[in-house]
Amino acid sequence: MAMIAAAGSHLPAQADERLFTKATESDDRLKELHHDAGDLCLRNPSRDVEVVVACKAMIIYGLALNERGWCHGRRDEANAEKDWHICESGSDRFSLDHLTDF
């Protein structure tokens, strides 16, 4: 969370407060950015700065997509099965808590 604050963005006071209302990337572009960051983060055992930044970026892209009504997988799916879909009951959402995972 400090990383977002250090980058000049504020954290929301409430979980439902939107962070990315002025973002101009398309949904498809955000999904592509999430995928690319995930390739570096999830397939690399290193904890180099570049890898940690990719992991944080992946979460931030996920938060942005959640704001637009997209979710990545369902709670009962294995990670390998998860894919982007319009959020519904049982969908996985990203949270600011994910930012402290690394």
Side-chain angles (χ1 to χ4, degrees):
M1 288 191 276
M3 182 184 76
I4 291 178
S9 299
H10 79 285
L11 291 174
Q14 301 174 30
D16 60 352
E17 191 174 337
R18 296 172 59 94
L19 294 170
F20 307 106
T21 58
K22 296 182 181 182
T24 59
E25 296 90 352
S26 69
D27 293 352
D28 287 339
R29 179 65 179 144
L30 287 173
K31 290 176 200 175
E32 180 182 314
L33 290 166
H34 178 272
H35 174 78
D36 291 348
D39 273 349
L40 180 56
C41 171
L42 301 174
R43 299 178 197 338
N44 194 326
S46 166
R47 290 301 348 102
D48 289 341
V49 172
E50 180 181 18
V51 175
V52 173
V53 168
C55 294
K56 298 293 186 183
M58 185 178 77
I59 295 165
I60 293 167
Y61 295 135
L63 289 169
L65 284 159
N66 282 172
E67 283 186 10
R68 295 180 181 188
W70 290 95
C71 285
H72 194 253
R74 291 167 179 83
R75 290 183 208 118
D76 61 348
E77 291 178 322
N79 282 341
E81 297 173 358
K82 294 181 186 258
D83 200 5
W84 289 105
H85 65 277
I86 299 298
C87 295
E88 55 192 29
S89 175
S91 294
D92 274 340
R93 291 184 169 270
F94 287 87
S95 73
L96 293 174
D97 295 338
H98 286 96
L99 291 173
T100 60
D101 289 347
F102 297 94

